[in-house]
Amino acid sequence: MLTDREMLFIDGEWVPAGADETTSIVNPATEETVARVAQASPDDVNRAVRSAANAFRNGPWRRGTVAERARILANALNRLATRSDELAGLITTQMGLPASNAAGQVSSSIEMGRYFLDVATDLPTTEIRQTSSGPAAVLREPVGVVAAIAPWNGPFAVAIQKIIPALVTGCSVVYKPALETPLDAYLVVEELTEAGVPAGVLNLITSGPGIGRALVAHPDVQKISFTGSTSTGREIGRVAGGAFKRVQLELGGKSAAVLAEDVDVELAMSGIRMGSFMNSGQVCASYSRILVPRGRADELTQALVAAAESLVVGDPADTSTTMGPVASRKQYETVSGYVDAGRSEGAVVATGGGRPSGLSRGFFVSPTVFAGATNEMRISQEEIFGPVISVISYDSLDEAIAIANDSVYGLHGAVFTQDPTVAARVAREVHTGTFSINSFTYNHEAPFGGVKDSGVGRDTGPEAVESFYELKTVNLTPEMVPVFEAAARPIDS
Ligand code: NAD
C-alpha cells in the first residue's frame, strides 16, 4: 500500500478535502487498491480558483521576470529528476505502463519542461514596432488562471506539459489530474513548492468529471488546457466558447498508418509495434488503422500478427515486459466490447482477441489484430484506446488517402514507404495535425495536436508556450519608447 493522499493543495497549503468520500487507486496489474485519494468538493474548486486568481492579480509571480520564474522552475525540474524512480514507479503502479516506458516518460517529460523554459526565456515579452501611427509596444502577457485537466493515460507527461509553460509565462494554475491517476501529481506539487513557486500560483484538486466541470465553468478561470476524450472536449468547448475563455483541447484519435506497395516491412513492423501497442494502445496518437495494398494483405497481416505476438505481456513492474494491462476495469470492459463488436461486424481475429493465457488477474488484453476489416466498421471508426488494430485493404494510393481521411478524427497518421515522393504526397494529403514517415515519432520541439474532432491548439513546440500569453498592443508616444524598451528582453533575461 502506498501513502494515502487525503489532502488537496490550495493557496500554498495542504488542506483537507471538502468531500467525505475518497477514491481508491487500483493497480491494474493486480486489481489491488494501492492508495486512497481525497475527493474535492465544489467549494474546494472555488477556493482553489480564488487563490489562483488572487495570486495572479496581487502576487509576485506574474510581476517577476520570465528569467526569475524559469530559474525556480528549472530547480523544480531538477528536484523532480532526483525522484525519477519514485515517479516512474507511481506511473507503473497506477496505470500499468511497463517500467522501462515509465522511466522514459519521466526523463522525456523533464526534458520537455526544460525545453519550455528555454523557449519562454528566448521569447521577448515586449517588442517595439514602428506602425503607421507611430511606435507601439506589443506585450506578451500571461492569460491568467489556467484550469489544467489531464487524462489517465499519460499522467506525469501531461502534468509537465500543462503546468510548466503556464507557470513560466506567469499564469496561475489549478491542476486536476484524472480520478484514476493522481499519485504523481503530489510529487510535482511538492517539488514546485519547495523550489519557490509562491502560494496560490499552483493548486491541486483531485476528483472526477463533476469537479472538472465546476473548474471549467468557474468565472475566474481564463484558460482551459484540457487533454482527454472528444466528448468531454466538446462539452468544455461549449462552455469555453460561451464565456470567451481561451481553450486548448487535445482529444482523441483514430490514426491510420498507410503501408505503401514498396513498404520496408521490417521498418514498418518496428514502427507499428510501438505506434499501435505502446502503453497497451492507450495513446491518443496510436496507429489503430493499418492500411495495406490489397495484393499484399495476407503477407502484411502475417507480419502484423508476428509483431503483435512478439510483445511480452505481463507484470509491468518486470523490466522484461513490453506491454502491461490496460489502465482500469472500465477500460478493460470498453476494449473487450470493441473486440466483440469487431467479431460481430465480420472482421477476423488474426491474433489476440481476449485475455492472454496465464494472466488470470489484472486488466490484461492480448495484442489484437483484426484482419479483413473495413473502414465502415465501428472498430475502424471509433477510438478503442486499447491494443487493437484494424487491417484495411486498399486498391490505390488515392484510395488509401481517402480511407485515412474518412474519420471524424485528425490527430496523427503515418506512411511507410521507400519513396520520398509518395511519403510527401501522403503526408500532405492526410488531414491531421501531426504525421510521421517510416516511424512513430513524438517530440516536444514541434507542435503536437489535432484537427477535426481531435481538438484545437497545440501542446508542444514554441506554440505551446505562446498559447499561455495574450498579446497587448500599447500605442506609444516617442518619449515612451525607452521606458518600454527598458522592459524588453535584455533586462528581462
Ligand atoms: P476523459 O475526457 O474522460 O477525462 C479527461 C479528464 O477530464 C479527467 O481528468 C476527467 O476527470 C475530466 N473530465 C471529465 N468530464 C469532464 C467535464 N465535463 N468537464 C471537465 N473535466 C472533465 O478522458 P480519459 O478517458 O481520461 O482519457 C482518454 C482520452 O484522452 C482518449 O480519448 C485519448 O485519446 C485522449 N487523449 C488525448 C491526447 C492528445 O494529446 N490528443 C493525449 C492523451 C489522451
Side-chain angles (χ1 to χ4, degrees):
M1 188 85 168
L2 299 166
T3 315
D4 286 346
R5 296 288 197 165
E6 281 158 7
M7 301 284 188
L8 310 174
F9 192 72
I10 297 177
D11 207 17
E13 288 182 18
W14 292 101
V15 295
D20 289 337
E21 71 268 37
T22 54
T23 306
S24 297
I25 307 301
V26 175
N27 179 337
T30 62
E31 303 184 35
E32 282 164 5
T33 295
V34 292
R36 290 201 170 72
V37 168
Q39 288 243 40
S41 68
D43 190 48
D44 295 325
V45 174
N46 191 31
R47 284 194 296 142
V49 176
R50 297 243 150 165
S51 98
N54 180 46
F56 185 75
R57 283 191 212 108
N58 307 318
W61 189 249
R62 169 177 65 88
R63 296 190 175 91
T65 66
V66 172
E68 284 162 359
R69 290 192 292 267
R71 264 192 297 278
I72 291 171
L73 297 171
N75 185 13
L77 291 170
N78 291 342
R79 297 177 68 98
L80 282 167
T82 68
R83 299 179 77 178
S84 294
D85 290 349
E86 199 182 341
L87 281 162
L90 289 175
I91 294 170
T92 297
T93 305
Q94 63 187 343
M95 48 97 54
L97 184 68
S100 56
N101 296 150
Q105 186 187 117
V106 172
S107 59
S108 63
S109 304
I110 289 172
E111 279 313 306
M112 172 172 61
R114 290 180 177 137
Y115 166 79
F116 287 140
L117 301 185
D118 290 344
V119 168
T121 308
D122 285 344
L123 206 57
T125 51
T126 304
E127 281 180 52
I128 307 293
R129 292 188 194 172
Q130 289 306 322
T131 75
S132 57
S133 56
V138 178
L139 310 183
R140 285 193 173 86
E141 298 190 330
V143 288
V145 174
V146 175
I149 303 178
W152 46 259
N153 69 316
F156 180 67
V158 175
I160 295 295
Q161 196 175 57
K162 296 189 180 307
I163 293 172
I164 297 295
L167 292 188
V168 74
T169 53
C171 297
S172 297
V173 173
V174 179
Y175 181 59
K176 193 196 89 58
L179 190 62
E180 300 84 350
T181 54
L183 299 177
D184 55 290
Y186 296 92
L187 276 61
V188 173
V189 169
E190 282 165 12
E191 296 310 337
L192 284 160
T193 305
E194 280 296 317
V197 172
V201 171
L202 175 63
N203 303 272
L204 172 67
I205 55 172
T206 47
S207 196
I211 286 303
R213 218 170 261 131
L215 179 58
V216 164
H218 198 291
D220 285 345
V221 167
Q222 274 86 34
K223 168 164 174 151
I224 300 135
S225 176
F226 171 79
T227 302
S229 63
T230 292
S231 59
T232 304
R234 206 182 299 284
E235 185 181 333
I236 291 175
R238 272 193 214 107
V239 175
F244 302 108
K245 294 174 193 251
R246 303 301 177 255
V247 69
Q248 201 167 341
L249 302 170
E250 295 293 341
L251 310 177
K254 194 71 197 176
S255 302
V258 177
L259 274 47
E261 280 287 355
D262 67 345
V263 57
D264 174 334
V265 178
E266 203 178 318
L267 187 67
M269 293 312 127
S270 126
I272 288 169
R273 196 169 177 274
M274 174 151 107
S276 301
F277 297 113
M278 186 176 63
N279 199 4
S280 303
Q282 301 163 120
V283 176
C284 51
S286 74
Y287 304 143
S288 44
R289 296 181 292 154
I290 313 298
L291 312 190
V292 298
R294 194 171 304 280
R296 297 188 65 185
D298 289 346
E299 169 211 345
L300 291 171
T301 301
Q302 279 321 305
L304 289 163
V305 166
E309 290 178 351
S310 73
L311 291 155
V312 182
V313 184
D315 176 4
D318 184 332
T319 49
S320 63
T321 295
T322 54
M323 200 182 100
V326 297
S328 63
R329 177 177 299 283
K330 182 167 168 249
Q331 197 58 18
Y332 177 82
E333 283 164 5
T334 302
V335 175
S336 304
Y338 276 110
V339 171
D340 292 345
R343 281 196 175 100
S344 61
E345 284 176 304
V348 177
V349 174
T351 188
R355 180 180 268 284
S357 60
L359 291 170
S360 53
R361 254 175 16 137
F363 308 128
F364 290 95
V365 181
S366 294
T368 299
V369 176
F370 270 116
T374 66
N375 203 47
E376 291 70 40
M377 293 176 175
R378 279 184 62 208
I379 53 166
S380 307
Q381 286 293 322
E382 297 176 20
E383 187 182 46
I384 299 174
F385 224 50
V388 180
I389 56 176
S390 307
V391 185
I392 302 168
S393 297
Y394 67 82
D395 289 313
S396 66
L397 202 56
D398 281 341
E399 192 193 4
I401 292 167
I403 293 171
N405 282 330
D406 180 14
S407 169
V408 294
Y409 295 108
L411 188 56
H412 188 209
V415 61
F416 290 87
T417 175
Q418 301 182 57
D419 183 340
T421 315
V422 169
R425 179 168 156 222
V426 180
R428 286 184 195 283
E429 293 297 322
V430 174
H431 188 37
T432 57
T434 321
F435 202 82
S436 295
I437 295 171
N438 289 331
S439 66
F440 177 83
T441 301
Y442 176 86
N443 62 64
H444 51 247
E445 294 88 354
F448 176 83
V451 297
K452 304 198 281 186
D453 283 9
S454 292
V456 174
R458 297 294 179 263
D459 251 359
T460 48
E463 294 78 5
V465 175
E466 286 267 14
S467 75
F468 291 92
Y469 280 127
E470 285 287 9
L471 296 177
K472 180 197 275 177
T473 297
V474 182
N475 294 305
L476 302 174
T477 54
E479 61 274 21
M480 287 304 299
V481 170
V483 179
F484 277 84
E485 270 176 349
R489 209 181 66 78
I491 291 172
D492 207 24
S493 58

